[in-house]
Amino acid sequence: MYLRVCTRTDIATAVIAVAKHVENPKVADWDALCQILKYLNSTRSMGITFGAHRVIDGYKHESMKLISYVDASYGDQEFAKSSCGYITMFNGGPISWKSKVLSDTATSSTEAEYMAQALAAKEIIYLRNLLGSLEIAQKTSTLLFGDNQAALKLALKENASDLTKHLNHHHFIRECVQRGQIEMKYVSTHSNLVDPFTKPLDRDRFGRLRLLIGMIESDEFHFVDERILKQTQIDNCNRINEHRTKKKSVRVPFNGFASKEIDISEYLSTRQ
């Protein structure tokens, strides 16, 4: 579960599927868990990468701009709950993602997608505020890609009807669109990065989307030599001492609250 939340976006669906049976696990659930561990062992050098300028469905990801994808799958026959997921990209890599089972029961695939859009919108607003506090303000609307045309139009108030009038508590996405914080965009299902978060995929499609997300496997690790690290620390200390010796004197505490200036060489000798 820790890996799913923090570093491994590619096991989101598998972990959610196993977690559904945690209260009453069976042999099949144990086998599924072993398959997850085998996969992690075979891809243990895989990690998230940043800095790549990806082009998805003809749209180029800009380095310092948030881009989010959202998807949902209609409720299964066993639990009658829909699964949803979203992922937010920044500088070519994922910085926030979630795969979960919706708490409310959706009556249609459009409703499930609309609920997922509301969850993704909350995360986008949080990330926009966070980046603003770091002086990386998002001056334009954050693009939110989805593959359900009806849900996208519903966020724009283009096809509201009696079938969706009960979704008042999920209309937060509409407010974000009206304020210009989020812009809804359509993306094909085959290019929706969050598609692996909601349903099992075939091997080729899963590998392609995993690569587009930024999960890349490295064949070998490079460890920093401890001697090089220690020498770097020594060099840094020498630079600090050189900077200090440029001053002729330094003020130090003297007789309680008073202070006095002494020669810098005398000060350094007392600190050694």
Side-chain angles (χ1 to χ4, degrees), residues 116-131:
Q117 289 176 8
L119 292 175
K122 296 176 183 178
E123 185 67 13
I124 290 173
I125 298 303
Y126 162 72
L127 292 174
R128 285 175 64 93
N129 294 335
L130 176 62
L131 291 176

Side-chain angles (χ1 to χ4, degrees), residues 33-50:
L33 180 60
C34 291
Q35 288 296 325
I36 296 175
L37 296 177
K38 289 180 180 179
Y39 170 76
L40 290 174
N41 182 59
S42 62
T43 59
R44 57 185 179 275
S45 62
M46 181 171 289
I48 298 173
T49 59
F50 294 91

Side-chain angles (χ1 to χ4, degrees), residues 12 25 42 90 95 123 133 139 163-164 187 192 198-199 214 242 254-255:
S42 62
F90 185 76
I95 62 171
E123 185 67 13
S133 65
K139 299 180 180 180
L163 298 177
T164 57
V187 65
N192 194 345
T198 59
K199 62 183 74 70
E242 290 176 3
F254 178 72
N255 287 342

